Amino acid sequence: MPDGDPQLKPRTLRDPASLVQAGLARPEAEPGLRRVAEHFAMAITPAVQALIDRDDPADPIARQYVPDVAELVTRPDERSDPTSDAPFTPVKGVVHRYPDRALLKPLLACPVYCRFCFRREVVGPDGGLLTEAELETALDWFAATPTVREAILTGGDPLMLSARRLAHIMGRLSAIPHLDIIRLHSRVPVTAPERVDDRLIAALSTDKAAFLCVHANHAREFSPAAKVALRRLSQAGVTLLGQSVLLRGVNDSSQALENLFRAMLSTQVKPYYLHQLDRAPGTARFEVPIEEGRALLRGLRGRISGLAWPTYVLDLPDGAGKAPLGPDFAAIKDGEWQVEGPLDGVPYQHHSRHTNSENSDS
Ligand SMILES: *Cc1c(COP(=O)(O)O)cnc(C)c1O
Ligand code: SF4
């Protein structure tokens, strides 16, 4: 059976000309976007295209994926490797920065290419698939490093691997006695949910504790198909977590964050991290200042379920790690703890029980 007219079948958009054809960029923008495409990969899957409201020039879905000439401007404080993966790479495809856990990056391809990506200098459709030999060396490194209790599959997007290769990796990791946890970070369930089929679910099977952290930044990304994909993963025994990036024009209001976290919870996804933007080249248009991020989260505390509350983190440069950014509700004032009530905003004194000469035994 022929597929029918290819024009009618939605396809992943991978270049500026097809963006214009799909009505997602104006024809006069094409030359500029072609220059952007020389530097950074682009891809917008059919599932994501279907989420975009073409009548809204500020559409929060389009903003995440449609390139912009602003990406050609790199600021002095932007770095090509903002999270410093390179110096913490013992063997190709592994990043070991914390004692008890390490990343495995089996490929650098993603279903979509986010315009704010912190690894935008390295991700791309042709990039970074480890060879069989490199993958075996990386897996051997996990087997030979007993301090590591958790393997974190990332990339790129590990759910872009073939089911066969994913099953091989899961099998090798599952056989390593000192590993307790296998965690995957993926954007596939919301941007290419059709990939979460029986073979992929079977490939994820493991006796280890399995977590999948889904990257989503807007409530609308939880489409009916995405919810089905996530439901299948949770039914397969995978604990679902959510990670989001705080992004100007996408989720930079208390209401947008509330909607996002509620959409996650209703799909059995526990919001885990809200990331401060990493300063990768050409991403300045997405940055929300930390003080604003803290105020947004402060406005949500008490108003939404405690289950919805993520940890707001900044990945420090030079491999110093991800640091929580608050907001804090407690501060020391005149030697006493002062704790702000999330419901009323009123400061409450919490008297310290000092261990001092009065109540010591001496
Ligand atoms: C983010 C990250 C992790 C995971 O950190 P968690 O705080 O456990 O989510 C592990 N290794 C590296 C190199 C990372 O960047
Ligand atoms: S899915 Fe993740 S790694 Fe891939 S482009 Fe988006 S932010 Fe980057």
Side-chain angles (χ1 to χ4, degrees):
M1 278 285 289
D3 253 359
D5 184 347
Q7 293 297 106
L8 296 177
K9 199 178 166 211
R11 277 181 301 184
T12 296
L13 307 174
R14 296 193 178 275
D15 56 70
S18 42
L19 270 186
V20 172
Q21 237 181 354
L24 291 174
R26 285 172 296 111
E28 58 273 27
E30 196 184 320
L33 296 184
R34 258 196 250 123
R35 283 191 293 139
V36 176
E38 284 166 21
H39 295 272
F40 304 114
M42 64 157 290
I44 307 180
T45 56
V48 170
Q49 291 165 48
L51 299 177
I52 294 175
D53 175 0
R54 285 167 172 75
D55 296 328
D56 179 2
D59 182 77
I61 309 297
R63 189 170 163 81
Q64 296 180 60
Y65 306 111
V66 175
D68 190 297
V69 283
E71 292 170 44
L72 295 170
V73 181
T74 297
R75 306 234 182 149
D77 56 359
E78 292 176 345
R79 308 211 194 168
S80 59
D81 181 16
T83 60
S84 299
D85 282 357
F88 296 87
T89 297
V91 299
K92 192 171 175 189
V94 174
V95 183
H96 186 208
R97 213 194 300 161
Y98 297 97
D100 72 332
R101 55 210 191 273
L103 310 183
L104 172 59
K105 300 192 286 187
L107 84 177
L108 293 171
C110 300
V112 286
Y113 293 99
C114 311
R115 307 326 296 170
F116 49 84
C117 175
F118 64 120
R119 292 202 180 111
R120 61 193 329 232
E121 297 273 15
V122 292
V123 294
D126 49 354
L129 182 65
L130 296 185
T131 64
E132 300 270 342
E134 286 165 344
L135 179 60
E136 293 315 303
T137 304
L139 292 166
D140 290 344
W141 180 88
F142 277 90
T145 312
T147 52
V148 168
R149 315 275 298 262
E150 177 177 359
I152 303 173
L153 296 185
T154 176
D157 194 315
L159 298 193
M160 293 298 281
L161 291 166
S162 69
R164 188 190 57 80
R165 203 165 238 233
L166 190 58
H168 172 71
I169 294 172
M170 292 296 291
R172 283 283 317 268
L173 293 174
S174 300
I176 297 175
H178 58 258
L179 283 182
D180 299 327
I181 302 166
I182 301 176
R183 187 199 320 182
L184 298 98
H185 281 247
S186 177
R187 212 156 173 22
V188 160
V190 293
T191 60
E194 71 284 354
R195 287 190 69 85
V196 184
D197 59 11
D198 292 342
R199 293 191 62 212
L200 186 129
I201 293 286
L204 290 175
S205 163
T206 178
D207 292 336
K208 305 290 188 188
F211 290 80
L212 186 139
C213 190
V214 61
H215 171 186
N217 304 312
H218 195 274
R220 266 188 12 230
E221 292 176 307
F222 292 82
S223 65
K227 288 184 176 179
V228 169
L230 290 163
R231 177 71 60 194
R232 302 187 81 183
L233 288 160
S234 62
Q235 280 172 348
V238 178
T239 299
L240 301 177
L241 305 170
Q243 67 170 344
S244 310
V245 185
L246 181 60
L247 297 167
R248 182 65 86 210
V250 176
N251 56 22
D252 56 338
S253 70
S254 279
Q255 191 62 56
L257 289 175
E258 174 176 342
N259 294 347
L260 170 62
F261 301 146
R262 285 194 191 284
M264 286 183 174
L265 284 183
S266 66
T267 322
Q268 214 137 324
V269 174
K270 161 78 186 95
Y272 173 52
Y273 276 160
L274 176 66
H275 292 271
Q276 178 66 12
L277 183 79
D278 290 316
R279 289 180 172 159
T283 60
R285 73 186 191 281
F286 289 108
E287 184 158 330
V288 177
I290 290 176
E291 55 276 20
E292 201 177 321
R294 285 165 50 104
L296 288 171
L297 278 182
R298 182 176 289 273
L300 285 181
R301 187 81 214 180
R303 201 172 100 203
I304 57 169
S305 167
L307 288 173
W309 188 256
T311 304
Y312 179 33
V313 290
L314 171 66
D315 209 339
L316 292 164
D318 306 322
K322 291 181 185 69
L325 294 174
D328 335 296
F329 287 77
I332 298 252
K333 216 175 164 190
D334 303 326
E336 298 287 356
W337 280 105
Q338 215 175 63
V339 184
E340 184 188 313
L343 292 173
D344 57 14
V346 171
Y348 290 85
Q349 294 276 336
H350 185 80
H351 296 290
S352 307
R353 289 174 172 167
H354 295 289
T355 307
N356 55 28
S357 51
E358 276 171 64
N359 55 20
S360 70
D361 293 335
S362 58

